[in-house]
Amino acid sequence: VRSDDYAWMRADNWQQVMRDPASLPTDIRAHLEAENAYAARVMAGTETLQAALIEEMKGRIKQDDSTPPARDGAFAYFIRYRQGGQHPIFARVDAEGNGPETILVDADALARGKDYFKLAGARQSPDHHRVAYGYDDKGSQYNILKIRDVAAGTDLADTITDVSGVGVWAADGKHIFYARLDANHRPSKILSHRLGAPADTDAMIYEEPDAGFFCDVGATQSRAFITIESHDHRTSEIRLLPADDVSVAPTLIAPREVG
């Protein structure tokens, strides 16, 4: 006999709660709020120590850290943080690594006024005119994918939801491949989105039939091919399709062998 006194806290509508935390059943929410209130009472005498520990840990971190600029064509791209900031800034300079800097995606600005925000990543298009970036502002890990016009500094109307990660550009800079999360939060489909088209018309490129497998999209280092990977914890399988022809079906490299 298995006895779990907290089994009732697994919300039957957990899939809805992942998308909308406000839909959490009231009895579960009340219990969690009571636990938080109890923890606050127990720890009430430690606020000064907590603040001192946080400052000590921050003092050991380079808050304005940055990655080395990675050259890509006429530009070098990097991620940096500002002093006192909490989120990454995706930026670029010229190919020699010199200024002036152009900020492409400022996650500190995107997070302003939100209770939760996490940038999933950002990726420049091959022609350097646009940047795809993904973010989660609910804590659900269902990312929203947006496309930013670099020259204008504004986002296009394209908005894709239920995305895992960021996505990968096709060579034409007008299509982007991405992995979509299903109702069980499994990245099970790879789709292709054409800029300017409604997201509900995105083309299905691959769907993983095995419920125990996850799929992801990437690119070879040469950028000549888009990669579609299916995997569990001990088996994987790769498909390729040419980055310069989005109409071609992916080619299986070798059938999966368990283990």
Side-chain angles (χ1 to χ4, degrees):
V1 175
R2 182 178 66 180
S3 179
D4 181 359
D5 294 337
Y6 292 94
W8 64 274
M9 293 187 68
R10 184 185 187 280
D12 291 335
N13 67 331
W14 67 269
Q15 293 161 319
Q16 180 184 359
V17 174
M18 289 288 284
R19 297 179 181 277
D20 178 16
S23 64
L24 185 68
T26 55
D27 57 340
I28 297 177
R29 180 177 296 278
H31 182 88
L32 294 174
E33 291 175 346
E35 290 279 8
N36 287 342
Y38 172 75
R41 289 197 302 271
V42 171
M43 302 296 290
T46 67
E47 285 91 345
T48 301
L49 176 60
Q50 290 178 44
L53 289 172
I54 290 172
E55 289 304 313
E56 181 178 344
M57 286 185 279
K58 286 167 61 177
R60 296 171 184 268
I61 298 172
K62 181 175 170 56
Q63 292 191 46
D64 56 351
D65 203 5
S66 66
T67 62
R71 185 167 182 167
D72 180 18
F75 300 97
Y77 292 81
F78 60 96
I79 292 172
R80 68 172 177 86
Y81 293 80
R82 59 169 55 91
Q83 191 77 20
Q86 296 186 15
H87 302 277
I89 298 166
F90 185 58
R92 76 184 184 192
V93 290
D94 65 34
E96 301 305 319
N98 302 316
E101 173 193 87
T102 300
I103 293 178
L104 304 172
V105 179
D106 185 344
D108 276 329
L110 293 172
R112 197 168 295 130
K114 297 181 182 296
D115 293 330
Y116 178 91
F117 185 87
K118 183 176 182 180
L119 185 72
R123 185 167 285 133
Q124 69 272 17
S125 62
D127 59 11
H128 306 283
H129 294 329
R130 289 168 287 276
V131 171
Y133 69 94
Y135 66 90
D136 170 19
D137 60 3
K138 293 185 175 62
S140 65
Q141 297 180 16
Y142 282 101
N143 291 324
I144 297 171
L145 182 62
K146 298 286 289 183
I147 309 296
R148 177 156 297 179
D149 182 284
V150 173
T154 56
D155 292 339
L156 305 182
D158 305 68
T159 300
I160 308 171
T161 60
D162 301 349
V163 176
S164 173
V166 181
V168 177
W169 288 97
D172 63 5
K174 298 177 182 178
H175 292 81
I176 189 164
F177 294 84
Y178 64 94
R180 171 163 287 169
L181 294 159
D182 62 20
N184 291 318
H185 213 272
R186 180 176 71 99
S188 59
K189 300 176 182 178
I190 303 299
L191 293 94
S192 171
H193 174 74
R194 180 173 58 84
L195 297 189
D200 58 8
T201 65
D202 290 353
M204 176 82 73
I205 305 300
Y206 175 75
E207 182 171 9
E208 173 52 52
D210 189 325
F213 272 64
F214 306 84
C215 58
D216 195 11
V217 64
T220 56
Q221 189 171 2
S222 68
R223 295 186 181 173
F225 295 95
I226 305 294
T227 64
I228 297 174
E229 180 184 8
S230 295
H231 64 90
D232 62 6
H233 295 294
R234 62 195 187 111
T235 301
S236 64
E237 183 178 73
I238 296 285
R239 288 170 170 80
L240 297 181
L241 62 154
D244 60 357
D245 189 349
V246 297
S247 66
V248 175
T251 299
L252 176 63
I253 300 305
R256 67 188 69 174
E257 298 179 19
V258 176

